[in-house]
Amino acid sequence: NRNTRLHDEL
Amino acid sequence: MNIFRLIGDLSHLFAIIILLLKIWKTRSCAGISGRSQILFALVFCTRYLDLFTHYISLYNSLMKIFYLTSSFGTIYLMFFKFKATYDRNHDTFRVEFLLIPSAVLALLINHEFDVLEILWTFSIYLESVAILPQLFMVSKTGEAESITSHYLFALGAYRGFYILNWIYRYYSEGFYDLIAILAGIVQTVLYCDFFYLYITKVLKGQKFSLPA
């Protein structure tokens, strides 16, 4: 899941 | 972005601003753990390296820049400008007990064995325990100025709101990040004892002091 690696949270 | 995350971020922002204002206005960093502040700066440095590799949003970038600059500002005030007021005799928590396990755990349990990813994971683990030197300092002196307790409350509330955000994201987007969630729960639990005393004492206008 690429989403988990593109950390969009702070 | 959802309301829980926004409140969480604003709470985090508010905590940092309260701390900077307290130090600036009173010209003193008494009662503040320099060790926790160094750990937080390290957390931001290792987590926000993606500022240079991935663009997410203007909000995201600005917040990262703010957290980074403010954490270095706090360190500058504590270790240089108001160095004489730094209560180093009470700030004795051994940070290697936090740094080494966080580093080892980041190498063992991560989403991907990649430099940026391991540093991000390290920052998540370290952040969850970075407040311990500060809580240790409060427990050593047995009390905290009310402004320091407001700072701790806002800082603790931040990850608590993130937990609500993760629950929301799980149901609305099917998104979840177990590393962040578990570390976030640990982080919030560490504040529970403090939250209890804050609510039962500080909000009733009493001084924050530990029961004898």
Side-chain angles (χ1 to χ4, degrees):
Chain A
N1 183 357
R2 187 70 207 153
N3 202 19
T4 55
R5 245 143 268 139
L6 188 70
H7 305 294
D8 64 341
E9 292 177 342
L10 291 162
Chain B
M1 176 60 74
N2 58 60
I3 189 72
F4 305 114
R5 200 159 131 205
L6 184 64
I7 296 172
D9 287 345
L10 293 179
S11 178
H12 197 183
L13 197 70
F14 188 59
I16 294 170
I17 293 171
I18 291 176
L19 182 65
L20 278 170
L21 279 179
K22 170 215 143 58
I23 297 174
W24 189 256
K25 294 269 181 193
T26 61
R27 323 291 289 171
S28 163
C29 55
I32 302 299
S33 166
R35 293 180 184 223
S36 277
Q37 295 307 317
I38 289 173
L39 294 181
F40 284 127
L42 187 60
V43 163
F44 293 142
C45 288
T46 50
R47 187 175 309 169
Y48 297 156
L49 284 169
D50 66 353
L51 198 53
F52 304 104
T53 59
H54 294 96
Y55 178 78
I56 292 157
S57 67
L58 183 63
Y59 169 84
N60 192 282
S61 298
L62 289 177
M63 291 294 260
K64 285 174 176 171
I65 293 167
F66 178 83
Y67 291 155
L68 280 166
T69 50
S70 61
S71 67
F72 282 99
T74 307
I75 286 175
Y76 166 73
L77 294 181
M78 290 196 74
F79 291 92
F80 297 95
K81 196 164 177 64
F82 303 123
K83 190 183 173 187
T85 63
Y86 171 41
D87 198 3
R88 66 184 66 239
N89 295 336
H90 287 123
D91 193 17
T92 52
F93 192 95
R94 299 277 298 271
V95 291
E96 57 271 37
F97 292 150
L98 306 177
L99 288 167
I100 296 168
S102 300
V104 171
L105 212 57
L107 288 168
L108 295 176
I109 305 171
N110 52 58
H111 292 304
E112 191 182 288
F113 205 82
D114 159 276
V115 176
L116 274 186
E117 190 57 32
I118 287 169
L119 287 172
W120 176 87
T121 313
F122 168 73
S123 85
I124 292 288
Y125 295 148
L126 184 61
E127 184 191 347
S128 70
V129 292
I131 199 60
L132 288 175
Q134 178 65 61
L135 294 176
F136 178 70
M137 195 171 174
V138 171
S139 75
K140 257 192 130 179
T141 55
E143 57 182 37
E145 284 177 63
S146 56
I147 190 79
T148 305
S149 66
H150 299 324
Y151 160 71
L152 281 169
F153 184 78
L155 195 62
Y158 137 70
R159 225 44 176 173
F161 278 106
Y162 257 77
I163 294 175
L164 299 177
N165 152 64
W166 291 322
I167 295 169
Y168 180 87
R169 290 190 77 177
Y170 176 73
Y171 286 108
S172 67
E173 302 164 39
F175 170 89
Y176 66 98
D177 183 330
L178 273 182
I179 289 177
I181 294 170
L182 292 174
I185 292 171
V186 169
Q187 184 167 341
T188 306
V189 166
L190 291 180
Y191 285 86
C192 282
D193 196 34
F194 168 81
F195 285 154
Y196 174 76
L197 290 166
Y198 181 83
I199 291 164
T200 56
K201 289 200 168 177
V202 182
L203 292 185
K204 287 179 184 158
Q206 297 171 19
K207 190 176 169 62
F208 181 89
S209 60
L210 295 174

